Amino acid sequence: MPIDWEPIWLTLRLASVTTILLLLIGVPLAGWLALSRFRLKPVVEALISLPLVLPPSVVGFYLLLTFSPTSWLGAWLLKTVDIQLVFSFEGLVVASLLYSLPFMVHPIQAGLENLPVSWREAAYTLGQSPTRTFWRVLLPNCKPALLTGIVLTFAHTIGEFGLVLMIGGNLPGQTRVASIAIYDEVEQLHFETAHAYAALLLGVSFAILLLVYAINKRVTV
Amino acid sequence: MIHLDVVMPRLFTEGTRDLQVRLDIQTGTLTALIGPSGSGKTTLLRLLAGLENPSKGRITVNEEVWLDKSNRVNLPPQQRSIGFVFQDTALFPNMTVLENIQFAARKDQPDFLQELISATGLNAFVNTRPAALSGGQRQRVALARALVRQPKLLLLDEPFAALDSTSSQQLRQVLLELHTRWGTTTLLVSHHAADVKALADRVVQLMQGRIQSDSLRDERLSTTPVAEPITRITYDEVLSLWVIETATTQIRSANPAWEQWKVGDLLQLSARKPDRNG
């Protein structure tokens, strides 16, 4: 049976979009968590870490209720910006952002917290603002942590199943990512196709991880 | 003139008590803070830099108020004209020597930047990353970086602590030359008696967060014995200087006649008032 490449491209697109967006959101968030003395910081940290302990189906279920067109938020999104987040690629991206957030934030936060405090203080005594210090001094010295965050986010998004199934279903070209396609093919007893998807996903994931760890080693050496 | 009057609760070896220091520092002088570990020396530097927040106090530098707790004034480090040399140098590993020094430099003073690099003997290392430098070279970069904004107050936290005696002597020489050239008011924390003797106009000793003694260079010199045996002679090839040390003093000279001196010779020390500009 010829393999349908659509789920593979969709998976890579979802993982890429999620990783890029999470890099933009996660870096400032990790910086704030690492450097701020905000009293309610533990609350924010707990919320970010929730997906680590919750089953994907729980997160997916609540997101399904929240983004459903019958909910207040879902109806408002549909009416004002004409976006329906359930059973759509955009919905998968939003769900993946929330679900993979700790995988991006935690390594970067840990990397920043492990830097010597004197670097930050030296920059301040040289008249530099906390923002410039963060972008020019702290973040460039956190490259391994950044790469770890990118790899974990990308790999985690590729492997999502329960969350995708809950909020996205199985719409070809829209939400039918590789993990769903494998499950679908197995259900229909198309083991050869399922095997092709699985092997491809395995190969792509391994190649990406290998590449990033090789780069990471060069950065840290 | 720098006026410092601060109170801050802090953990000392004998338990939590107030660090309480009142100090007036003459502009252009080099004051050494000495005392045992945990006596509050570094905390005092950090208070001046705005890196610590005292419970009470006031700091003024040339009539400019940096801290006044009663009036809720507390300038952040960025707004205080300071240069801080950290014990671990705190050089940024992602930048070269030049980039580290340039990081805070004013764009309209390229000549000063070059002068600073030359004065600290860093011309050969400008494109090197800090990780490839020796301890002494790193401290010189940290010193150049701290001076690049031409601060009113230079704070040095144990800059000689991790250096061998040769590197330490070279750094002392550089520091003394820079101090003589620009007259930046300097506060030096040090454990090493040789640093204090060679550099400081005034020595303030701290003990458990309080000033225990405060002496000027003249007072210390007047108590110095007039003749002492030489304990060590070295030739600093980088600076082309002879360095002669006795139990209490260190002196340097480019005079080639010093070559004939040896360890054990009596060094006749005069107790005249030092003339830094002469």
Side-chain angles (χ1 to χ4, degrees), chain B residues 2-254:
Chain B
I2 295 165
H3 299 284
L4 167 86
D5 185 1
V6 285
V7 178
M8 183 179 154
R10 191 181 170 280
L11 186 66
F12 293 97
T13 46
E14 290 173 8
T16 303
R17 59 177 288 187
D18 280 343
L19 174 140
Q20 197 163 0
V21 173
R22 188 172 184 171
L23 199 61
D24 290 337
I25 301 166
Q26 198 71 41
T27 306
T29 57
L30 198 155
T31 304
L33 283 175
I34 61 167
S37 294
S39 59
K41 308 182 296 293
T42 298
T43 306
L44 206 57
L45 288 197
R46 293 174 61 82
L47 281 165
L48 276 160
L51 297 170
E52 300 282 352
N53 191 9
S55 54
K56 279 188 272 182
R58 186 177 160 86
I59 299 171
T60 59
V61 176
N62 302 343
E63 307 301 324
E64 189 185 335
V65 179
W66 285 7
L67 176 91
D68 187 351
K69 290 298 277 188
S70 55
N71 287 316
R72 296 189 173 184
V73 176
N74 189 2
L75 295 188
Q78 290 92 338
Q79 288 175 28
R80 301 184 185 203
S81 179
I82 45 163
F84 200 120
V85 175
F86 290 79
Q87 194 172 347
D88 67 352
T89 70
L91 296 179
F92 309 135
N94 59 313
M95 300 181 194
T96 62
V97 166
L98 183 62
E99 286 166 345
N100 262 282
I101 301 170
Q102 265 179 337
F103 180 61
R106 282 168 53 184
K107 301 283 181 283
D108 58 345
Q109 291 187 323
D111 293 344
F112 176 69
L113 187 72
Q114 192 47 55
E115 188 185 350
L116 196 54
I117 289 168
S118 300
T120 43
L122 294 168
N123 279 313
F125 313 109
V126 285
N127 294 318
T128 311
R129 297 221 179 226
L133 299 176
S134 70
Q137 288 162 348
R138 275 202 287 271
Q139 283 292 357
R140 279 188 276 152
V141 179
L143 186 60
R145 189 179 68 174
L147 285 167
V148 79
R149 293 168 72 219
Q150 295 175 282
K152 287 178 183 162
L153 183 58
L154 177 64
L155 305 167
L156 308 167
D157 188 9
E158 297 269 13
F160 312 98
L163 304 184
D164 59 43
S165 65
T166 310
S167 304
S168 187
Q169 279 167 19
Q170 287 173 2
L171 184 64
R172 275 201 294 264
Q173 186 65 30
V174 167
L175 188 58
L176 199 56
E177 279 174 17
L178 293 177
H179 184 67
T180 308
R181 190 184 299 193
W182 289 310
T184 310
T185 311
T186 305
L187 212 57
L188 163 75
V189 165
S190 183
H191 270 113
H192 296 255
D195 308 337
V196 173
K197 287 186 196 103
L199 296 168
D201 302 306
R202 178 183 176 188
V203 177
V204 176
Q205 185 172 19
L206 286 182
M207 187 69 76
Q208 297 283 315
R210 309 285 161 108
I211 293 176
Q212 199 184 44
S213 67
D214 187 347
S215 61
L216 296 172
R217 185 185 179 89
D218 290 358
E219 293 164 13
R220 283 183 294 119
L221 277 181
S222 65
T223 59
T224 305
V226 290
E228 284 186 349
I230 294 170
T231 54
R232 183 181 152 99
I233 301 177
T234 49
Y235 185 69
D236 187 331
E237 289 185 3
V238 176
L239 301 169
S240 304
L241 287 175
W242 285 101
V243 183
I244 293 188
E245 290 175 63
T246 68
T248 63
T249 309
Q250 184 188 72
I251 52 175
R252 305 174 193 80
S253 172

Side-chain angles (χ1 to χ4, degrees), chain A residues 6-216:
Chain A
E6 186 71 52
I8 300 292
W9 293 129
L10 197 65
T11 305
L12 294 177
R13 214 174 102 209
L14 177 65
S16 305
V17 171
T18 304
T19 305
I20 291 165
L21 289 177
L22 268 185
L23 201 57
L24 298 175
I25 300 165
V27 168
L29 188 58
W32 177 75
L33 287 172
L35 309 176
S36 130
R37 291 179 189 170
F38 181 54
R39 234 179 247 176
L40 296 176
K41 202 167 82 171
V43 177
V44 180
E45 286 179 311
L47 283 172
I48 290 171
S49 301
L50 262 182
L52 294 175
V53 291
L54 282 177
S57 51
V58 172
V59 181
F61 174 66
Y62 282 116
L63 286 178
L64 186 66
L65 291 184
T66 310
F67 295 144
S68 155
T70 56
S71 76
W72 173 84
L73 183 63
W76 180 82
L77 283 171
L78 197 61
K79 192 179 165 190
T80 50
V81 280
D82 195 25
I83 285 180
Q84 183 180 312
L85 289 181
V86 288
F87 306 113
S88 69
F89 181 75
E90 291 78 13
L92 286 194
V93 171
V94 173
S96 298
L97 288 179
L98 291 171
Y99 198 58
S100 294
L101 189 60
F103 295 89
M104 182 64 85
V105 171
H106 284 173
I108 301 173
Q109 184 186 346
L112 289 167
E113 284 172 346
N114 282 331
L115 296 178
V117 179
S118 61
W119 293 358
R120 197 177 353 141
E121 291 179 340
Y124 294 169
T125 61
L126 290 166
Q128 306 304 306
S129 68
T131 310
R132 188 160 190 258
T133 301
F134 178 73
W135 293 108
R136 288 288 313 277
V137 177
L138 304 183
L139 202 59
N141 287 300
C142 265
K143 281 179 194 161
L146 266 172
L147 278 165
T148 306
I150 290 168
V151 172
L152 285 178
T153 304
F154 195 89
H156 187 249
T157 310
I158 281 182
E160 272 173 22
F161 176 75
L163 182 74
V164 174
L165 195 64
M166 289 295 285
I167 197 157
N170 183 10
L171 301 175
Q174 276 283 311
T175 61
R176 191 176 192 248
V177 293
S179 57
I180 302 288
I182 293 166
Y183 179 75
D184 199 29
E185 297 297 340
V186 170
E187 266 207 321
Q188 294 175 52
L189 304 178
H190 298 154
F191 289 111
E192 242 178 79
T193 319
H195 180 67
Y197 280 136
L200 206 63
L201 216 54
L202 187 78
V204 169
S205 303
F206 182 72
I208 291 167
L209 288 173
L210 190 67
L211 186 73
V212 174
Y213 280 115
I215 295 169
N216 205 355

